[in-house]
């Protein structure tokens, strides 16, 4: 196909977008996973090499719809995909994402006379701060990222800058920047032999971030209680913080990946962590990829334990969040918030860039995103966030999250009472388990023979999809409820029927 012919296909592309819109707004009737036949057909249809003459738009359109689409999973379209915490794509976000692709803005530099894209992104960040009930005067600093991994890199990088500067200041050394002078030189000037991240069952992306930043994966340490691996042991924490040879970042798991439970039990515990970190010059980073959204819930007793788990997160120095999880916007989208307005610029400033901040007369001072994040080339991923927040508001997101929690708790109660299954982690009572259940249900089969193949057997039904994991050295499964399409009674009936059937095999 000649490039000059592309304009003639614009109307066809518009019709295709309408067709795809219809597909994605229809309840997902096929299996959550593609069939073996569909996978085989798709793979067989892939060209072995690039042809000299293209097939043209209509042929490729039909190829993708007939061969590729049936071999994709329903992770975002089906409410019964409970594997990775994928979320879905709200109608408003899907519409906005099509605009993002069509206009293809590179949101890197704030140029107010060129585009409104950076203004929209900055506004979306403020709306997100509002949704999470954080104070704009403190938390209206940050950026949109590709996801939690990138956001955790930003959080640990800013923390690394802060804690080494603090160590240097204690020695009376002129303040230096890792971003400017390098990690080795600044550590020498600071008199520090190593960096460490203290956490409780941290997510793998946090450990990955430590490896990327020169902190080291081996220096991410658990400081959890002996009787509860999910929560901080404050005595162990202080003992590690007091080590004069180490500079420390404390990472709070605001929603542990397997259980969905929280590393802290309320404001007083977060205040104590904050006090200890201030005493020893440590940085507090909250990994709230999905847990942070618990802050949007109401103050009813039904959700009190979840609200307590999120309480005090505003005392952290930085926060990671994932938009493509409970915000239900498309991949890729994460966000990073920081209470220190200049810290990200210290690390991520684009070298020799004259365009740091600019604004229209009387408007806000909007930082150029390339100076506060990893990428210079950036997709306009904030537009779906903006569209969803404006379309549905706090009440809309609150309603969806309530449904997700109620489904998770209904499944947890059923699993807890089932003779073939065991709900995890073990609690003193079913009531305590349900009280702490957020949007994840962790469980195993009591019979080892079934437990070893539990995840694969469940997923082979293609009616629901779960993640296989491990808990305390034994195989387990996780159901993570994160899609906006969830219907408590309908989806519970599907889950119960599948697990009942698997238990009888």
């Amino acid at each position: 196909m000649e490039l000059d012919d592309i304009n003639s296909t614009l109307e066809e592309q518009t019709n295709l977008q309408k067709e795809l819109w219809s597909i994605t707004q229809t309840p997902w009737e096929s299996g959550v996973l593609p069939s073996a036949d569909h996978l085989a057909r798709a793979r067989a249809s892939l060209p072995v090499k690039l042809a000299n003459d293209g097939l043209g738009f209509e042929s490729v359109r039909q190829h993708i719809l007939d061969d590729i689409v049936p071999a994709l999973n329903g992770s975002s379209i089906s409410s019964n995909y409970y594997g990775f915490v994928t979320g879905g794509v709200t109608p408003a976000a899907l519409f906005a994402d099509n605009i993002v692709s069509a206009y293809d803005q590179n949101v890197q530099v704030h140029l107010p006379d060129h585009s409104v894209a950076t203004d929209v992104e900055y506004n979306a960040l403020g709306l997100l701060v509002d949704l999470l009930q954080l104070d704009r005067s403190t938390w209206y600093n940050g950026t949109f990222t590709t996801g939690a991994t990138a956001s955790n890199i930003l959080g640990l990088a800013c923390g690394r800058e802060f804690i080494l500067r603090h160590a240097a200041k204690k020695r009376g050394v002129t303040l230096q920047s890792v971003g400017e002078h390098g990690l080795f030189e600044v550590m020498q000037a600071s008199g520090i032999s190593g960096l460490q991240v203290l956490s409780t069952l941290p997510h793998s992306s946090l450990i990955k971030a430590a490896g990327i930043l020169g902190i080291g994966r081996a220096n991410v340490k658990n400081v959890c209680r002996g009787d509860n691996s999910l929560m901080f042991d404050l005595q162990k924490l202080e003992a590690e913080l007091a080590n004069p040879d180490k500079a420390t970042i404390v990472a709070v798991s605001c929603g542990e990946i397997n259980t969905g439970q929280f590393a802290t039990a309320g404001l007083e515990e977060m205040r104590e962590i904050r006090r200890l970190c201030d005493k020893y010059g440590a940085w507090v980073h909250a990994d709230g990829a999905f847990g942070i959204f618990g802050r949007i819930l109401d103050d009813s007793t039904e959700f009190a334990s979840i609200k307590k788990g999120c309480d005090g997160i505003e005392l952290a120095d930085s926060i990671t969040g994932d938009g493509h999880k409970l915000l239900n916007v498309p991949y890729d989208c994460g966000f990073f918030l920081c209470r220190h307005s200049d810290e990200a610029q210290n690390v991520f400033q684009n070298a020799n860039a004259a365009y740091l901040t600019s604004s229209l007369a009387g408007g806000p001072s909007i930082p150029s995103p390339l100076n506060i994040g990893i990428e210079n080339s950036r997709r306009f991923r904030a537009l779906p966030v903006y569209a969803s927040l404006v379309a549905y508001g706090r009440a809309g997101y609150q309603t969806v999250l309530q449904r997700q929690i109620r489904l998770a708790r209904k499944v947890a109660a059923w699993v807890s009472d089932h003779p073939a299954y065991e709900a995890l982690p073990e609690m003193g009572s079913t009531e305590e388990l349900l009280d702490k259940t957020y949007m994840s249900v962790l469980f195993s089969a009591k019979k080892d023979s079934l437990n070893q193949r539990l995840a694969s057997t469940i997923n082979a039904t293609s009616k629901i999809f779960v993640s296989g994991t491990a808990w305390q050295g034994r195989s387990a499964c996780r159901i993570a409820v994160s899609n906006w399409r969830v219907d408590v009674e309908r989806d519970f009936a599907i889950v119960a029927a599948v697990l009942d059937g698997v238990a009888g095999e």
Side-chain angles (χ1 to χ4, degrees), residues 252-256 260-263 286-293 309-310 313 438:
V252 179
S253 295
C254 187
E256 190 271 331
Q261 294 184 23
F262 299 88
D287 183 358
F290 56 86
I292 191 68
F293 292 97
C310 301
I313 293 302
Y438 178 27

Side-chain angles (χ1 to χ4, degrees), residues 246-261:
K246 299 284 187 179
T248 302
I249 298 168
V250 174
V252 179
S253 295
C254 187
E256 190 271 331
I257 189 63
N258 282 310
T259 64
Q261 294 184 23

Side-chain angles (χ1 to χ4, degrees), residues 189-451:
S190 303
I192 293 296
S193 65
L195 307 176
Q196 63 181 0
V197 179
L198 306 179
S199 189
T200 58
L201 297 183
H203 188 264
S204 60
S205 66
L206 191 84
I207 301 171
K208 181 176 183 176
I212 291 170
L213 292 167
I215 297 170
R217 291 185 291 271
N219 290 315
V220 181
K221 303 175 183 177
N222 276 310
V223 285
C224 54
R225 286 166 34 183
D227 63 340
N228 188 335
S229 59
L230 295 166
M231 304 195 75
F232 279 101
D233 183 316
L234 295 179
Q235 288 186 329
K236 289 181 183 177
L237 179 63
E238 182 164 19
E240 289 285 353
L241 287 168
N243 186 339
D245 296 325
K246 299 284 187 179
T248 302
I249 298 168
V250 174
V252 179
S253 295
C254 187
E256 190 271 331
I257 189 63
N258 282 310
T259 64
Q261 294 184 23
F262 299 88
T264 55
L267 181 58
E268 290 308 312
E269 193 168 348
M270 273 300 296
R271 282 176 174 162
E272 181 60 12
I273 291 171
R274 178 76 269 173
R275 184 189 71 80
L276 291 173
C277 289
D278 288 342
K279 178 179 177 181
Y280 295 103
W283 177 274
V284 182
H285 175 66
D287 183 358
F290 56 86
I292 191 68
F293 292 97
R295 291 179 65 88
I296 73 177
L297 293 166
D298 60 39
D299 293 324
S300 66
T301 56
E302 182 180 6
F303 307 113
S305 64
I306 296 169
K307 291 279 284 187
K308 284 183 68 176
C310 301
D311 209 2
I313 293 302
E314 67 276 5
L315 300 177
D317 295 294
S318 56
I319 296 173
T320 281
D322 242 339
H324 54 239
K325 287 185 168 61
L326 297 188
L327 203 60
N328 274 242
V329 298
Y331 279 103
D332 55 19
C333 182
F335 56 88
F336 169 72
L337 302 173
C338 186
R339 63 162 50 241
H340 307 278
S341 59
D342 298 327
E343 206 64 77
Q345 187 173 300
N346 290 336
V347 183
F348 298 102
Q349 181 179 145
N350 206 58
N352 303 316
Y355 32 72
L356 294 181
T357 60
S358 58
S359 61
L360 294 169
S365 179
I366 298 176
S368 290
L370 86 170
N371 290 309
I372 53 175
I374 296 170
E375 311 104 329
N376 277 16
S377 300
R378 302 172 72 253
R379 179 175 168 82
F380 189 15
R381 61 177 65 94
L383 188 61
V385 175
Y386 172 85
S388 262
L389 290 174
V390 172
Y392 310 118
R394 180 181 290 110
Y397 273 102
Q398 190 178 88
T399 298
V400 169
L401 185 55
Q402 287 172 348
R403 291 204 308 264
Q404 291 164 340
I405 295 168
R406 286 166 183 159
L407 174 59
R409 288 179 171 178
K410 195 172 180 70
V411 172
W414 185 88
V415 167
S416 184
D417 289 339
H418 199 285
Y421 297 112
E422 179 180 27
L424 301 170
E426 294 182 5
M427 297 285 181
S429 65
T430 300
E431 289 73 21
E432 185 181 357
L433 171 70
L434 299 185
D435 185 55
K436 294 196 173 184
T437 296
Y438 178 27
M439 34 65 69
S440 291
V441 181
L442 187 67
F443 66 101
S444 62
K446 292 179 179 178
K447 289 173 58 177
D448 284 338
S449 57
L450 174 59
N451 199 50

